[in-house]
PDB file of all heavy atoms in Angstrom:
ATOM      1  N   VAL A   1     -33.114  16.222  11.624  1.00  0.00           N
ATOM      2  CA  VAL A   1     -32.804  15.126  12.529  1.00  0.00           C
ATOM      3  C   VAL A   1     -31.345  14.723  12.322  1.00  0.00           C
ATOM      4  O   VAL A   1     -30.921  14.481  11.203  1.00  0.00           O
ATOM      5  CB  VAL A   1     -33.718  13.917  12.265  1.00  0.00           C
ATOM      6  CG1 VAL A   1     -33.338  12.752  13.130  1.00  0.00           C
ATOM      7  CG2 VAL A   1     -35.157  14.300  12.454  1.00  0.00           C
ATOM      8  N   TYR A   2     -30.608  14.688  13.402  1.00  0.00           N
ATOM      9  CA  TYR A   2     -29.197  14.328  13.345  1.00  0.00           C
ATOM     10  C   TYR A   2     -29.000  12.950  13.969  1.00  0.00           C
ATOM     11  O   TYR A   2     -29.583  12.641  14.985  1.00  0.00           O
ATOM     12  CB  TYR A   2     -28.346  15.355  14.105  1.00  0.00           C
ATOM     13  CG  TYR A   2     -28.412  16.721  13.496  1.00  0.00           C
ATOM     14  CD1 TYR A   2     -29.286  17.679  13.980  1.00  0.00           C
ATOM     15  CD2 TYR A   2     -27.626  17.038  12.407  1.00  0.00           C
ATOM     16  CE1 TYR A   2     -29.359  18.928  13.410  1.00  0.00           C
ATOM     17  CE2 TYR A   2     -27.689  18.287  11.827  1.00  0.00           C
ATOM     18  CZ  TYR A   2     -28.555  19.225  12.335  1.00  0.00           C
ATOM     19  OH  TYR A   2     -28.627  20.451  11.761  1.00  0.00           O
ATOM     20  N   LYS A   3     -28.182  12.137  13.342  1.00  0.00           N
ATOM     21  CA  LYS A   3     -27.869  10.817  13.886  1.00  0.00           C
ATOM     22  C   LYS A   3     -26.549  10.913  14.630  1.00  0.00           C
ATOM     23  O   LYS A   3     -25.598  11.518  14.146  1.00  0.00           O
ATOM     24  CB  LYS A   3     -27.731   9.792  12.766  1.00  0.00           C
ATOM     25  CG  LYS A   3     -29.022   9.465  12.087  1.00  0.00           C
ATOM     26  CD  LYS A   3     -28.951   8.330  11.102  1.00  0.00           C
ATOM     27  CE  LYS A   3     -27.634   8.008  10.529  1.00  0.00           C
ATOM     28  NZ  LYS A   3     -27.624   6.996   9.512  1.00  0.00           N
ATOM     29  N   ARG A   4     -26.505  10.321  15.799  1.00  0.00           N
ATOM     30  CA  ARG A   4     -25.275  10.292  16.565  1.00  0.00           C
ATOM     31  C   ARG A   4     -24.461   9.094  16.109  1.00  0.00           C
ATOM     32  O   ARG A   4     -24.960   7.987  16.042  1.00  0.00           O
ATOM     33  CB  ARG A   4     -25.599  10.170  18.046  1.00  0.00           C
ATOM     34  CG  ARG A   4     -24.378  10.211  18.913  1.00  0.00           C
ATOM     35  CD  ARG A   4     -24.786  10.053  20.378  1.00  0.00           C
ATOM     36  NE  ARG A   4     -23.636  10.057  21.226  1.00  0.00           N
ATOM     37  CZ  ARG A   4     -22.829   9.023  21.428  1.00  0.00           C
ATOM     38  NH1 ARG A   4     -23.062   7.887  20.815  1.00  0.00           N
ATOM     39  NH2 ARG A   4     -21.794   9.108  22.223  1.00  0.00           N
ATOM     40  N   GLN A   5     -23.202   9.336  15.762  1.00  0.00           N
ATOM     41  CA  GLN A   5     -22.317   8.266  15.337  1.00  0.00           C
ATOM     42  C   GLN A   5     -20.989   8.393  16.061  1.00  0.00           C
ATOM     43  O   GLN A   5     -20.431   9.480  16.129  1.00  0.00           O
ATOM     44  CB  GLN A   5     -22.048   8.352  13.837  1.00  0.00           C
ATOM     45  CG  GLN A   5     -23.006   7.574  12.998  1.00  0.00           C
ATOM     46  CD  GLN A   5     -22.590   7.637  11.551  1.00  0.00           C
ATOM     47  OE1 GLN A   5     -22.360   8.692  11.017  1.00  0.00           O
ATOM     48  NE2 GLN A   5     -22.496   6.498  10.925  1.00  0.00           N
ATOM     49  N   GLY A   6     -20.482   7.314  16.571  1.00  0.00           N
ATOM     50  CA  GLY A   6     -19.171   7.309  17.191  1.00  0.00           C
ATOM     51  C   GLY A   6     -19.168   7.968  18.554  1.00  0.00           C
ATOM     52  O   GLY A   6     -20.193   8.380  19.076  1.00  0.00           O
ATOM     53  N   LEU A  57     -18.420  15.256   9.161  1.00  0.00           N
ATOM     54  CA  LEU A  57     -19.712  15.444   8.503  1.00  0.00           C
ATOM     55  C   LEU A  57     -20.810  15.462   9.559  1.00  0.00           C
ATOM     56  O   LEU A  57     -20.895  14.563  10.392  1.00  0.00           O
ATOM     57  CB  LEU A  57     -19.976  14.317   7.508  1.00  0.00           C
ATOM     58  CG  LEU A  57     -21.344  14.326   6.825  1.00  0.00           C
ATOM     59  CD1 LEU A  57     -21.485  15.533   5.902  1.00  0.00           C
ATOM     60  CD2 LEU A  57     -21.555  13.038   6.049  1.00  0.00           C
ATOM     61  N   ILE A  58     -21.647  16.513   9.522  1.00  0.00           N
ATOM     62  CA  ILE A  58     -22.749  16.558  10.475  1.00  0.00           C
ATOM     63  C   ILE A  58     -24.117  16.464   9.802  1.00  0.00           C
ATOM     64  O   ILE A  58     -25.084  16.108  10.445  1.00  0.00           O
ATOM     65  CB  ILE A  58     -22.678  17.794  11.396  1.00  0.00           C
ATOM     66  CG1 ILE A  58     -22.627  19.078  10.599  1.00  0.00           C
ATOM     67  CG2 ILE A  58     -21.509  17.684  12.337  1.00  0.00           C
ATOM     68  CD1 ILE A  58     -22.698  20.314  11.473  1.00  0.00           C
ATOM     69  N   LYS A  59     -24.172  16.747   8.510  1.00  0.00           N
ATOM     70  CA  LYS A  59     -25.454  16.619   7.808  1.00  0.00           C
ATOM     71  C   LYS A  59     -25.227  16.633   6.300  1.00  0.00           C
ATOM     72  O   LYS A  59     -24.368  17.340   5.807  1.00  0.00           O
ATOM     73  CB  LYS A  59     -26.392  17.764   8.207  1.00  0.00           C
ATOM     74  CG  LYS A  59     -27.817  17.558   7.760  1.00  0.00           C
ATOM     75  CD  LYS A  59     -28.750  18.500   8.475  1.00  0.00           C
ATOM     76  CE  LYS A  59     -30.182  18.137   8.158  1.00  0.00           C
ATOM     77  NZ  LYS A  59     -31.122  19.008   8.835  1.00  0.00           N
TER      78      LYS A  59
END
Side-chain angles (χ1 to χ4, degrees):
V1 176
Y2 297 96
K3 290 188 338 185
R4 183 181 179 281
Q5 269 184 309
L57 175 67
I58 56 174
K59 192 165 188 179

